[in-house]
Amino acid sequence: MNSSTIPAPAASAPIRVRIAPSPTGDPHVGTAYIGLINFIYARQNGGQFVLRIEDTDRARFVATSEQMIFDALRWLGLSWDEGPDVGGPYGPYRQSERTEIYRTHADLLLANGTAYRCFCTAEELEAARKQQMAAKLPPRYPASCRNLSEAQVAANLSDNKPFVIRMAVPTEGSTTFRDELRGDITFEHSNVDDQVLMKSDGFPTYHLANVVDDHLMHITDVIRAEEWISSTPKHVLLYQAFGWAAPRFWHMPLLRNIDKSKISKRKNPVSLVYYRQAGFLPEAVINFLGLMGGGMPSPTPVEIVNGAKEAEIFSLAEMIQRFEVPNIRLGGPVFDLTKLRWLNSEYLRALSPEAFFTALRDTILSDQYLRDISTLIQTRIETLGQFGELTGFFFRDDVMPTQEVFLPKKRTLEETLAFATEQLTLLEATDWTTEALEPALKQLGEAHTWSVKENFMLLRAILSGSTMSPPLLESLVVFGKARSLDRMRRFLETQKKLANARK
RNA sequence: GGCGUUAUGGUGUAACUGGUUAACACGUCGCCCUCUCAAGGCGAAGAGUCCGGGUUCGAGCCCCGGUAACGCUACCA
């Protein structure tokens, strides 16, 4: 009775799509994938592609992240028509600058009864959740504040009790929406929780900000990752609460690690900065992403005769011409670095000798990189000819220290690997400057009673593959955060595999 | 646990809207070329399409029932 299906936007509306990355770290390969599909779809339909920065989570906010996202997307050739840096008619495009908009919209919902204030504390909610879990019930908001009287609310408000605003999800019925790739999907309202819309810090959650912005920015098609399917009914309900038409939804399959789990940095380099610095060409990365999900039409018999390999090699322009978004495969594709490397080698080989040389000079042999490195080794070198011996690890991708090199004399393998894991976790969250790295590492060492020598030596071995190297912290900084962390993760993964093999 | 999604060689994708021995690329292995390694050429192994039923002359494609993987289950996105 309470069930509802939403109308799709008018077919005549000009196509507008967006990507909405969060500036919480390095730009992610998944963002590039979703960005690519959105970009193609917009270009194919003569529509607009909007970049919106979803920086409402101040706990995870990383100041340098936004610029890195811009740079990475531009590097890949995915340019946007509207965004924080280029402006546009529906700005601002940074959610932190739109808090007033969310507040007034939340008030609208409060006024029409589709949302309510919740004064529950984190502790209360945690306790309730635990109880439900213990009773084998799905953890749900107990609706304690859903039916507070006006007087109670007023009293809490005048007591200055902190509160959040929650969505009042109908208790009965269900919501059905259409996924353009999968067809209708239905969720019973009994399975949809009273989602928080406004946090107690005055910032909106994704769900509110997203719906409000997509509407205000006239987004016609929401093309996003599959992980959002479960929260789509909340979004649909929000559109209805506001009395708005909902956009079309396209949920793309999730990129996977080799073990099929959602792609993650532990098991795969996911930072676009890494790919750039490790010497992947943007054309190859884009091409590879275009292979994921199979949106490109299969090669014609003629193409197969002429060398089927070429059928897998295509440019962004060709994708705009031929890619078929509705034909996307739904199984989560494995992001297979081996094939990416092959693709990259094809692109590298296709370069003119001059262009290839230029590519080298622009990246791995840039003046800046060489200058930074030379600074580190000038006092350690006897002849210029030794440059390669001293700096080889800066130019290699396969550095892997032997146990003899990385294992401190008085430490077991287990504690060493455990400590290296601690180092990794720490460095992930540390600014990439010597000033930040030094105290952070030393503090970690003290906390685990690892001497500075053991501590730094282990990291040196992982980074350089040797017990001798230019100064560690400076080397890390020069080598870059993305590649350094990747080297550490690969070291740990390799050691883990070796340990398993020994068992 | 609940809800949802997905399922073709090791990996990415094909297979005319059910029609012969399931195709292409990467990877692997072998041979040729070659001062080496790549590249290139030639060739091989590798799936009977998650499992079990059903419909049909005929099913990877349709129907039913399972299973597994993945996602969500936050005042993160």
Side-chain angles (χ1 to χ4, degrees):
Chain A
M1 304 302 105
N2 215 339
S3 304
S4 48
T5 306
I6 43 152
S12 58
I15 295 295
R16 289 175 57 83
V17 296
R18 87 301 193 273
I19 52 168
S22 291
T24 53
D26 277 21
H28 198 275
V29 76
T31 302
Y33 178 55
I34 300 298
L36 171 66
I37 307 301
N38 274 282
F39 180 83
I40 290 172
Y41 186 78
R43 288 289 172 274
Q44 287 182 335
N45 291 289
Q48 271 94 46
F49 174 50
V50 177
L51 173 62
R52 184 171 72 221
I53 296 294
E54 308 226 326
D55 53 352
T56 55
D57 182 354
R58 70 206 195 321
R60 293 201 305 155
F61 179 76
V62 176
T64 53
S65 185
E66 182 183 290
Q67 188 59 47
M68 289 199 288
I69 291 170
F70 294 165
D71 293 344
L73 292 174
R74 287 223 169 82
W75 174 63
L76 289 172
L78 304 177
S79 54
W80 46 99
D81 304 301
E82 298 168 28
D85 56 336
V86 299
Y90 304 105
Y93 293 90
R94 213 175 265 118
Q95 291 186 330
S96 58
E97 297 167 12
R98 301 171 63 83
T99 47
E100 202 47 50
I101 298 173
Y102 307 126
R103 209 187 325 277
T104 56
H105 280 84
D107 286 344
L108 248 36
L109 299 183
L110 243 23
N112 75 12
T114 53
Y116 59 95
R117 291 189 179 83
C118 166
F119 298 89
C120 296
T121 65
E123 294 73 43
E124 287 165 355
L125 294 174
E126 186 51 36
R129 193 173 299 130
K130 269 190 186 147
Q131 240 174 32
Q132 290 167 326
M133 298 282 264
K136 302 247 184 212
L137 291 168
R140 297 282 311 278
Y141 175 63
S144 332
C145 297
R146 181 149 171 167
N147 296 308
L148 255 32
S149 69
E150 273 180 50
Q152 284 170 306
V153 172
N156 283 335
L157 250 25
S158 66
D159 284 354
N160 272 327
K161 275 198 179 180
F163 65 89
V164 301
I165 296 177
R166 284 182 187 272
M167 184 160 74
V169 174
T171 48
E172 316 245 300
S174 63
T175 289
T176 298
F177 63 91
R178 184 176 151 76
D179 179 291
E180 299 298 323
L181 296 172
R182 297 158 232 263
D184 285 352
I185 298 177
T186 299
F187 283 82
E188 296 295 324
H189 291 155
S190 57
N191 289 319
V192 182
D193 211 358
D194 279 6
Q195 180 64 46
V196 171
L197 301 175
M198 291 291 277
K199 308 180 225 179
S200 53
D201 65 2
F203 277 83
T205 59
Y206 169 88
H207 307 280
L208 206 225
N210 198 262
V211 165
V212 168
D213 286 348
D214 282 347
H215 176 258
L216 260 25
M217 294 180 182
H218 300 275
I219 300 302
T220 56
D221 293 80
V222 170
I223 306 175
R224 67 204 337 177
E226 187 182 356
E227 56 190 332
W228 293 108
I229 290 178
S230 313
S231 33
T232 304
K234 293 172 183 173
H235 305 162
V236 170
L237 253 11
L238 274 176
Y239 282 103
Q240 289 172 348
F242 283 117
W244 298 336
R248 290 182 211 91
F249 295 102
W250 309 69
H251 290 100
M252 303 297 298
L254 243 21
L255 263 25
R256 308 294 179 92
N257 298 312
I258 314 91
D259 63 4
K260 302 279 187 182
S261 54
K262 173 168 124 177
I263 195 166
S264 64
K265 62 188 174 189
R266 275 290 133 79
K267 297 171 179 170
N268 227 326
V270 295
S271 166
L272 293 169
V273 176
Y274 167 84
Y275 288 100
R276 184 174 191 172
Q277 294 183 344
F280 288 83
L281 297 180
E283 294 84 356
V285 175
I286 277 291
N287 188 157
F288 181 64
L289 256 15
L291 247 21
M292 307 277 89
M296 281 297 269
S298 46
T300 63
V302 177
E303 280 174 319
I304 291 176
V305 170
N306 290 342
K309 190 173 77 175
E310 271 68 31
E312 293 205 316
I313 299 184
F314 40 75
S315 66
L316 187 51
E318 286 171 299
M319 277 188 252
I320 292 169
Q321 229 162 55
R322 305 181 54 204
F323 200 92
E324 292 164 22
V325 179
N327 277 1
I328 294 278
R329 284 257 133 202
L330 269 10
V334 170
F335 191 92
D336 181 7
L337 228 27
T338 306
K339 187 141 185 177
L340 207 207
R341 285 205 197 88
W342 166 76
L343 252 184
N344 201 56
S345 76
E346 288 287 328
Y347 277 90
L348 249 17
R349 231 173 275 135
L351 256 25
S352 71
E354 187 56 30
F356 176 72
F357 177 71
T358 305
L360 237 24
R361 287 305 307 262
D362 285 347
T363 57
I364 202 77
L365 294 180
S366 71
D367 282 354
Q368 188 58 53
Y369 194 48
L370 293 177
R371 182 171 288 121
D372 289 346
I373 292 170
S374 70
T375 307
L376 299 181
I377 53 101
Q378 190 174 0
T379 58
R380 295 172 170 77
I381 204 166
E382 293 172 318
T383 69
L384 298 175
Q386 293 170 330
F387 181 80
E389 292 145 49
L390 264 50
T391 64
F393 69 93
F394 281 112
F395 301 96
R396 306 184 58 138
D397 252 348
D398 61 349
V399 169
M400 189 58 65
T402 61
Q403 198 165 310
E404 195 173 46
V405 169
F406 76 78
L407 193 62
K409 286 192 178 57
K410 294 177 183 163
R411 301 286 179 179
T412 65
L413 181 61
E414 288 69 31
E415 64 179 321
T416 301
L417 296 182
F419 187 71
T421 306
E422 295 288 336
Q423 288 179 322
L424 171 60
T425 307
L426 174 83
L427 295 189
E428 279 172 349
T430 306
D431 278 351
W432 219 244
T433 61
T434 54
E435 293 76 25
L437 288 168
E438 181 161 12
L441 274 171
K442 283 185 173 164
Q443 203 184 338
L444 180 77
E446 271 173 43
H448 290 76
T449 61
W450 271 60
S451 71
V452 175
K453 186 177 181 179
E454 290 174 316
N455 185 356
F456 279 44
M457 189 56 84
L458 173 59
L459 200 47
R460 179 191 313 283
I462 295 171
L463 176 72
S464 73
S466 157
T467 53
M468 283 174 299
S469 82
L472 178 64
L473 300 176
E474 286 79 353
S475 296
L476 283 168
V477 170
V478 169
F479 194 54
K481 184 169 187 173
R483 294 186 79 194
S484 299
L485 294 182
D486 177 70
R487 194 162 276 187
M488 294 177 73
R489 292 184 189 114
R490 218 157 36 179
F491 167 76
L492 287 167
E493 282 301 310
T494 303
Q495 293 305 324
K496 204 194 286 175
K497 274 185 203 139
L498 286 176
N500 287 337
R502 258 182 255 117
K503 277 179 197 161

